[in-house]
Every structure is written in structure tokens, then in C-alpha cells.
Amino acid sequence: MRTCYLFSMPILPGATVGILGGGQLGRMLAMAARPLGYNVSALDPDPSCAARFVLNHLHTAPFHDVAEAAALARECAVVTVEIEKVAVAALEAAAQHAPVRPGPEVLAVIQDRAAQKRWLMGHGFPLGAYREARSAEEIASSIQALGGPCIVKAAREGYDGKGQARASTPSDAEAAWQAIGARPCVVERALHLEAECSVLVARRPGGQVAVYPPSLNVHVNGVLECCVLPGPLPTKTVGEATEIARGIAEALRIEGVLVVELFLTAGGALYVNELAPRPHNSYHTADVACATSQFEQAIRAVCDLPLGETQVVRPTALFNLLGDLWAGDSPLCIDRALALPGVKLNLYGKRVARPGRKMGHLLAEADTPEEALARVRAAARALGVR
Ligand code: ADP
Ligand code: MG
């Protein structure tokens, strides 16, 4: 009997997958698309972006370039994103020529923190206390209303803690407003965090969903330092985090992958921190930990192929390598790090190492998550991380 593809239209090998963005996530998406038999084109403003060596074609253009986004889509069977700040008009222009997954309407909600929080709140997902603000005065009254130390976050274009400022009292409002570039923002009550975690969900256009076990994430100064899969978290937390993430992916009807970042408070409550409609730093561990990497899963999802297995077959931890590591005169001790058991290195091929810039990561596998974390930290020290 012939299969009826009424709800399923797989994009078959030989086709070209387009990626809006050519950073490290785009590079790894492209590398996962290759063994599945796809060609890959991307659009990025930087001609020496991390993905440049693994693409058939790089369109060098800004993320608001409507004509180039359309040109990319014309040569592709499907277009996806590795970064959420692509202009909605560019996504809509691409969608005239090929399916864009996740779609412009999903990106429009996620790329604005205020819109994202409104959507989450409206759909009944748990959020920490926050206010929206459009001036220093509104920040001051928000801090007053929230009643304690706050984090002011620009509504658009923040990443790795950029576009954020701490503000303890209303008198800090003006400095915070200036620090974030005097832009519309959200003011969040600073929470006492017991832990942070994230959950990756993949969803196909027809609705098939696959959820990964939660990752436990450790941030330093707003940047992910290390994480481990599976996150050693209470069973109740694992269950709740999984259901929240699945619920968000289904309510958004996302096509592709979605990562939900969550805060766990000392009292055991979970709050959604933010959403990412793309592969995520905290799931590089799945390259080793799981039968299906997040990148292969994203390609399967956007090409409408059956999703792969998501269970952990080997606990794995990650340590991010930031540009600071390249600042000194001494070379990285890569041989010492790779001599340790179970350790792997992934460098992103970025030309310029700026402080705080993600340049690569280490992975370490082990029998338990705790041991994997200890190993990856030892590897980072061996490499030269202080
Ligand atoms: P980014 O887009 O830069 O990842 P996030 O909103 O995720 O921005 O913030 C980065 C990190 O800052 C979080 O992972 C967490 O460690 C810390 N943080 C952010 N908001 C809060 C909050 N309301 N309370 C406590 N810590 C927070
Ligand atoms: Mg974050």
C-alpha cells in the first residue's frame, strides 16, 4: 500500500536546507544535515562566520535583508533559523518561496521578551514576577512594585547576559535604563535560584513530538559555564519541566526544535525563564549523550522526517570555552585536556576571540552525571581555564 502524505510531506535527501544564521549553531546544523544527504545554504552578515566552511552557499547579508532572505529560500526546500533575531519581514519574505520552520509568527513572539512573557502568561505557564517598562520612570515604579532586587532586560536582542542590568532599588533605575541602551525592557524580580535547567523539544509539522531529558545548567555572570545531561534533578522536577516544555511546544505548534530555559527555586517551584526556537548551547551534550543529536533532530523535524530517539545512553557534561582563554600568551594545552578519559573538543572556527565570546566547548562522558561534570571541569583546567 502506498503511504498517504496528507499530513506529512518529507523533504528528501538531495534537497537544500537553508539556515538563517551562520554561527556555531548553524555550522553544527549544516554538519548534521550532510550525512542525511542534504545540501546546505545559509545567510549571515559575517563572511567569515563559523558555518562558512560547511555550506554550499553563504548569502552575506544582514538579518533584516528581505531580498537576500527570499533569494536564500528560492534555492531551498525548507528554511530554518539558528538565531532568533532575524527580522520577521525577512522570515515572511522567505516563506513566500519555501516553508520556514519555525514560522515567522513563532519567531515574532519569541524574539521580544515582553511579547514572549505575555504569551506564556496568557497560556498559563509559570513565570516569575515581572513588569514591562519603556522608560527609567517605569523601571523605577516596577522595582517598587516588585519589592526587591531586579534584573532589567532589554526586550530584544539580548544573549549571554548582554542587554541586562541589575537594579536593587528605584534609585538604580536611570543607570539600568542607560546600561541597556534606553530601550523597551522587562523588569524581573531577581530569584533565589536552587538550580537552572533546560528542556529540548522537537516537533514535526504533523505534530509528532520528542522531548529530551532536562539538562542541568550552571551559569556564571549570565553565561552558561557548564551543563550536564541528564540533569541530576528531583524526579518531580524532571516530570514538571518535561510537561511544561512539551506544553509550550504544542501550544506554539512549533515546527523544528524549541528549548525552554527554566529556573528552579529553593522551594521547588519551576518558572519559565525564556524560550529559544532553535538548537541550544545546553544540548551540545546530546552529541555524545543521546542516540540523536539536537542538530540531527532539528534537521529531521524541519524536513518532516521521523524523529530520533531522545533517551540518554551515556551521561555527558559540557564546559564552554570563552574568548578570554585566547587572550594570554600561553597556548591552550589541548593535548593535556584530550589525554583525559572520555573528553572531546569542539572548536567553532571563529576568527576573532573576544572576551566572553563562545569559541568552542569541551564534552566529557562518564558513568554518572556527577562524574561527567567532574571530568569536564578537570579537562577545562588542563586546557588552561582558571
Ligand atoms: P540570556 O538571553 O542572556 O540567556 P537570560 O534571561 O537567560 O538571558 O539570563 C541569563 C542568566 O542570568 C540566567 O540563566 C540566570 O543565570 C540569570 N538570571 C536571569 N534572570 C534572572 C532572574 N530573574 N533571577 C535570577 N537569575 C536570573
Ligand atoms: Mg538564557
Side-chain angles (χ1 to χ4, degrees):
M1 202 176 77
R2 288 191 43 196
T3 313
C4 172
Y5 287 121
L6 198 56
F7 298 108
S8 169
M9 274 300 244
I11 291 161
L12 296 173
T16 301
V17 174
I19 307 172
L20 291 160
Q24 65 267 23
L25 300 174
R27 172 185 170 103
M28 289 179 253
L29 271 173
M31 288 165 74
R34 293 280 187 210
L36 286 168
Y38 297 104
N39 300 305
V40 188
S41 292
L43 178 151
D44 195 276
D46 178 3
S48 56
C49 64
R52 67 192 181 282
F53 293 124
V54 292
L55 301 172
N56 292 76
H57 185 189
L58 174 65
H59 295 251
T60 307
F63 289 128
H64 55 74
D65 191 322
V66 171
E68 274 308 310
L72 172 77
R74 272 197 294 272
E75 71 192 46
C76 296
V78 63
V79 173
T80 189
V81 297
E82 63 109 47
I83 188 163
E84 48 271 40
K85 71 175 181 185
V86 180
V88 171
L91 296 162
E92 286 170 347
Q96 299 295 313
H97 304 280
V100 175
R101 297 175 176 159
E105 62 298 337
V106 170
L107 270 290
V109 168
I110 292 183
Q111 67 187 203
D112 181 313
R113 277 186 199 276
Q116 188 189 120
K117 283 183 186 294
R118 259 179 260 135
W119 184 92
L120 288 164
M121 193 79 116
H123 286 78
F125 294 105
L127 286 181
Y130 81 99
R131 294 283 189 282
E132 290 182 33
R134 296 181 159 269
S135 65
E137 294 70 33
E138 287 185 10
I139 293 177
S141 57
S142 299
I143 298 170
Q144 187 74 44
L146 293 167
C150 290
I151 303 178
V152 181
K153 302 180 179 178
R156 290 179 172 271
E157 298 210 351
Y159 68 98
D160 290 347
K162 293 187 175 64
Q164 300 190 9
R166 294 212 164 234
S168 297
T169 68
S171 62
D172 299 329
E174 180 62 36
W177 174 246
Q178 295 305 332
I180 64 155
R183 292 181 284 165
C185 55
V186 297
V187 183
E188 293 180 16
R189 183 77 159 87
L191 301 169
H192 293 290
L193 303 181
E194 177 74 15
E196 293 188 62
C197 62
S198 53
V199 181
L200 174 67
V201 187
R203 185 178 173 279
R204 280 171 83 184
Q208 187 197 3
V209 163
V211 189
Y212 286 73
S215 168
L216 175 71
N217 306 332
V218 178
H219 288 81
V220 175
N221 299 325
V223 184
L224 184 72
E225 181 185 71
C226 57
C227 58
V228 64
L229 196 68
L233 292 157
T235 312
K236 176 172 165 285
T237 304
V238 170
E240 285 177 12
T242 304
E243 283 322 302
I244 290 170
R246 179 196 294 274
I248 294 172
E250 287 183 337
L252 275 174
R253 301 178 69 80
I254 195 158
E255 298 175 345
V257 296
L258 174 79
V259 166
V260 180
E261 294 182 15
L262 295 144
F263 293 144
L264 178 66
T265 65
L270 274 174
Y271 295 108
V272 176
N273 172 24
E274 60 171 350
L275 309 180
R278 52 164 172 81
H280 191 268
N281 194 172
S282 63
Y283 274 88
H284 290 321
T285 45
D287 287 1
V288 170
C290 299
T292 318
S293 79
Q294 62 169 337
F295 301 104
E296 179 183 343
Q297 196 74 297
I299 296 296
R300 287 183 185 223
V302 303
C303 291
D304 203 4
L305 296 172
L307 301 176
E309 297 286 307
T310 57
Q311 80 273 21
V312 172
V313 290
R314 184 81 176 143
T316 304
L318 163 144
F319 195 99
N320 268 333
L321 302 175
L322 304 181
D324 314 60
L325 199 54
W326 277 256
D329 294 332
S330 43
L332 300 189
C333 301
I334 286 168
D335 52 341
R336 284 179 51 209
L338 290 182
L340 297 172
V343 171
K344 287 173 179 288
L345 174 68
N346 187 335
L347 293 176
Y348 305 151
K350 294 183 181 178
R351 283 236 186 96
V352 186
R354 286 188 293 273
R357 190 175 195 206
K358 289 174 182 163
M359 301 299 290
H361 62 257
L362 291 163
L363 294 176
E365 54 165 283
D367 291 341
T368 65
E370 292 77 10
E371 203 187 323
L373 267 177
R375 274 187 176 181
V376 88
R377 286 188 180 284
R381 280 194 301 277
L383 195 75
V385 174
R386 280 188 298 273

